[in-house]
Amino acid sequence: PTRRDYLDEKSAELGRLIRDSDPDGISLDFIRTFVFWEMVYPGRRLDSLPKSCFDASCLEAFEKATAIALPNTLRSTRDKAGWILAHHLPEWTTWKCGVITRVVESLAREARRLKPGIMVDVHTVPWRSNDFGGAIRIVAGQDLAAIAPAVDFISPMCYHHMVKQTPAWIHSVVQDVNTRTGAAVIPSIQVKEAYIPGPESASEFREALVEALKPPSRGVVFWNWAALAESPEKLAAVRDVVRGRA
């Protein structure tokens, strides 16, 4: 996200999608510093999670933005990363979150320039503010309170089965995001098992849907639609739960 050519490419892609499809809304995904959160399970510690990104582009941008100069004795990427994390973690976290926030702001602004009134959603890592020692900001670089003003909705990817959580956890994530941002929250939930063995049953999916729709939730996103379409039992669960709410 510190590479201008890459951001320009993504902005152009967004423009093509809006012009070709004329959508009512768009959803921005993968806007974070990389972490394979889909395989981070309860009990992990902050120091066990990988931190990124320390390539030349990011280090140069960090030094320029903060006026923090890395010692010229540091040769390897590992040494540079270790020094920053040991001596300037707060500054690094604030800077990194700012990078991600500005990308969201830029893409949202471009979408609304092309189609005023278009709704903008952003998919986020489903970590509550204190999960894994504050990893949502320190690791993923997502400061949801800063991102919220730029978008219409926030969609935490509450794929409970994948990350070995209970369906009730989905509601707790929605509550946390809404409390710290005041944003409209539309959780995204998992329809079918992924990354770990063992099926996600129709009854478990139904329970997840009920939890996802509890206030202050403003709706639900299904990941993914193809998996839902191929399951009569899960489609029936959607009909029953939505009809019951109506």
Side-chain angles (χ1 to χ4, degrees), residues 28 34 38 43 53 96 107 118 121 123 131 149 175 177 187 198 203:
L28 307 175
F34 179 75
E38 296 92 335
C53 171
K96 183 164 70 169
L107 292 175
I118 194 172
D121 179 37
H123 272 61
D131 285 345
Q175 286 183 308
V177 173
S203 60

Side-chain angles (χ1 to χ4, degrees), residues 159-197:
Y159 306 150
H160 77 281
H161 187 272
M162 179 189 302
V163 294
K164 302 182 180 180
Q165 295 280 5
T166 66
W169 165 81
I170 297 170
H171 177 54
S172 73
V173 174
V174 172
Q175 286 183 308
D176 180 81
V177 173
N178 178 258
T179 297
R180 60 181 150 134
T181 67
V185 184
I186 302 181
S188 184
I189 65 171
Q190 183 177 358
V191 176
K192 185 178 181 179
E193 63 277 359
Y195 294 114
I196 62 173

Side-chain angles (χ1 to χ4, degrees), residues 144-167:
L144 300 191
I147 288 172
V151 298
D152 297 289
F153 306 104
I154 293 178
S155 289
M157 295 176 283
C158 299
Y159 306 150
H160 77 281
H161 187 272
M162 179 189 302
V163 294
K164 302 182 180 180
Q165 295 280 5
T166 66

Side-chain angles (χ1 to χ4, degrees), residues 12-211:
E13 182 182 356
L14 174 64
R16 289 192 297 271
L17 287 170
I18 292 175
R19 285 188 292 269
D20 293 347
S21 304
D22 189 28
D24 295 319
I26 59 165
S27 186
L28 307 175
D29 195 4
F30 222 112
I31 297 186
R32 60 183 185 272
T33 49
F34 179 75
V35 56
F36 197 2
W37 64 266
E38 296 92 335
M39 297 187 74
V40 176
Y41 308 130
R44 287 286 292 274
R45 295 169 54 90
L46 178 63
D47 57 12
S48 75
L49 298 174
K51 317 295 190 302
S52 63
C53 171
F54 297 93
D55 76 338
S57 174
C58 288
L59 293 180
E60 180 181 352
F62 172 68
E63 287 186 293
K64 183 177 180 180
T66 63
I68 293 172
L70 275 69
N72 57 19
T73 55
L74 302 173
R75 301 300 182 189
S76 70
T77 300
R78 181 181 295 276
D79 288 343
K80 294 173 184 178
W83 184 85
I84 290 173
L85 295 175
H87 299 282
H88 293 285
L89 179 59
E91 295 92 338
W92 173 258
T93 300
T94 297
W95 170 80
K96 183 164 70 169
C97 288
V99 170
I100 300 303
T101 297
R102 286 189 292 275
V103 174
V104 174
E105 292 171 340
S106 174
L107 292 175
R109 186 165 52 246
E110 176 65 6
R112 291 171 179 138
R113 183 187 70 82
L114 294 168
K115 183 176 181 179
I118 194 172
M119 293 182 293
V120 180
D121 179 37
V122 60
H123 272 61
T124 61
V125 174
W127 291 343
R128 295 162 295 192
S129 53
N130 294 322
D131 285 345
F132 312 113
I136 184 73
R137 295 183 72 253
I138 296 171
V139 175
Q142 291 183 335
D143 184 338
L144 300 191
I147 288 172
V151 298
D152 297 289
F153 306 104
I154 293 178
S155 289
M157 295 176 283
C158 299
Y159 306 150
H160 77 281
H161 187 272
M162 179 189 302
V163 294
K164 302 182 180 180
Q165 295 280 5
T166 66
W169 165 81
I170 297 170
H171 177 54
S172 73
V173 174
V174 172
Q175 286 183 308
D176 180 81
V177 173
N178 178 258
T179 297
R180 60 181 150 134
T181 67
V185 184
I186 302 181
S188 184
I189 65 171
Q190 183 177 358
V191 176
K192 185 178 181 179
E193 63 277 359
Y195 294 114
I196 62 173
E200 179 186 0
S201 67
S203 60
E204 185 177 356
F205 169 75
R206 179 189 293 263
E207 187 178 352
L209 178 57
V210 169
E211 293 291 336

